[in-house]
Amino acid sequence: KALILTPSSISGLLTQNTQDKAFVGFANEPDSKYFIHVNALYTKVSDLENIVVAPGPVLLKDVATVFRGKAIQGKSDSGNIAVINISNITETGIDYKSLDLMEDEERKVARYALDEDDVLVTSRGTTIKTAVFEAQNRTCIPSANINVIRPKKGMRGAFLKLFLESPVGLKMLKGLQRGTTVVNINYKDLEDLEVPYPPLAEQDALIDEYNEGLKFYTETLAAAETAWKGVQASIQSRLY
């Protein structure tokens, strides 16, 4: 049965519900050409042509790869591999000075080795923490209680973190939690999260604004703590 399709009818369909069905490009099959939307079932993202950044969310698996950290059998005071645990993720980032160490061959942990701009999301516990990894002078890997999101070209890890720790992002993450006594997030479930995908210029502007605010916050907090310690010392010196 023939379908009556004209350029105008296709154009009309493509412009309908643009907020939910943002056009992102074309994909060619042997006998067909597909018009791809962000909510399309077509999964061969590498085959897309004429990619454009469009309004509307995209699936996380289309703009990043997701994997789970490594199960660690023990820790040591020395070693060539640093392990990031949930406790190392703080409000202002990762506490690299307190990382556990382990000894192992680099090739055996290569699949877990973290890259610059990887996003870490805790997978265990009711409190969800996120952080962006910064390159270190030694190999660092995440523990099994952490899921890793590695952004692809066109997506900044720092932007993903900002979204995931927003009220909307946290609500989405909490919706993925499973279990009753001990809740956890399966890394496979993260792949189907819908995330915003603005142009890099917009991502970078938000990241810069956040970093400037964070710098001011940490410097102000440090100055306040120093001043408070001075007040305490002055009072204590006059008590006796």
Side-chain angles (χ1 to χ4, degrees):
K1 182 179 179 180
L3 298 176
I4 301 175
L5 293 176
T6 65
S8 60
S9 65
I10 293 176
S11 177
L13 289 171
L14 289 175
T15 55
Q16 288 179 5
N17 304 319
T18 54
Q19 290 185 348
D20 296 326
K21 298 182 178 181
F23 173 68
V24 296
F26 302 106
N28 286 314
E29 292 291 356
D31 299 316
S32 305
K33 186 170 187 176
Y34 294 98
F35 293 82
I36 306 300
H37 293 160
V38 294
N39 64 342
L41 295 179
Y42 198 93
T43 58
K44 298 180 181 178
V45 177
S46 60
D47 295 340
L48 294 183
E49 301 174 353
N50 305 318
I51 296 293
V52 297
V53 175
V58 296
L59 295 181
L60 185 59
K61 64 184 177 184
D62 288 341
V63 293
T65 56
V66 186
F67 62 94
R68 181 183 177 223
K70 178 178 172 57
I72 307 299
Q73 299 300 323
K75 61 181 181 179
S76 172
D77 293 331
S78 62
N80 61 326
I81 308 295
V83 181
I84 299 178
N85 295 295
I86 292 179
S87 59
N88 302 127
I89 300 178
T90 70
E91 183 182 11
T92 57
I94 299 172
D95 183 4
Y96 295 101
K97 295 181 180 179
S98 65
L99 301 184
D100 291 334
L101 300 175
M102 60 175 285
E103 189 70 35
D104 206 342
E105 296 180 41
E106 297 275 349
R107 63 178 181 83
K108 291 184 178 180
V109 299
R111 61 177 294 190
Y112 301 101
L114 293 170
D115 291 340
E116 177 86 13
D117 208 36
D118 281 350
V119 182
L120 278 58
V121 181
T122 56
S123 61
R124 189 180 179 90
T126 54
T127 301
I128 299 174
K129 299 181 180 181
T130 60
V132 177
F133 178 75
E134 299 174 353
Q136 302 295 300
N137 58 6
R138 71 172 76 203
T139 298
C140 295
I141 64 173
S143 69
N145 293 327
I146 294 175
N147 292 322
V148 179
I149 302 172
R150 179 162 295 163
K152 299 177 182 177
K153 185 177 180 180
M155 176 63 79
R156 302 280 196 239
F159 174 78
L160 275 176
K161 174 185 178 295
L162 292 179
F163 171 71
L164 293 175
E165 67 183 9
S166 71
V168 173
L170 282 174
K171 183 177 180 180
M172 294 171 67
L173 289 175
K174 286 184 177 296
L176 299 179
Q177 290 181 322
R178 302 178 182 179
T180 52
T181 305
V182 179
V183 295
N184 63 84
I185 298 176
N186 188 299
Y187 78 95
K188 284 290 186 181
D189 293 333
L190 283 173
E191 295 180 334
D192 290 325
L193 277 183
E194 288 189 344
V195 298
Y197 190 36
L200 284 175
E202 292 183 20
Q203 295 182 43
D204 290 338
L206 289 171
I207 294 168
D208 289 343
E209 183 177 349
Y210 173 82
N211 287 337
E212 289 178 8
L214 178 61
K215 180 181 179 183
F216 177 76
Y217 168 76
T218 54
E219 290 178 349
T220 302
L221 187 61
E225 289 178 347
T226 299
W228 176 235
K229 289 179 181 178
V231 171
Q232 289 178 307
S234 176
I235 293 175
Q236 291 171 4
S237 67
R238 289 177 285 161
L239 290 176
Y240 308 101

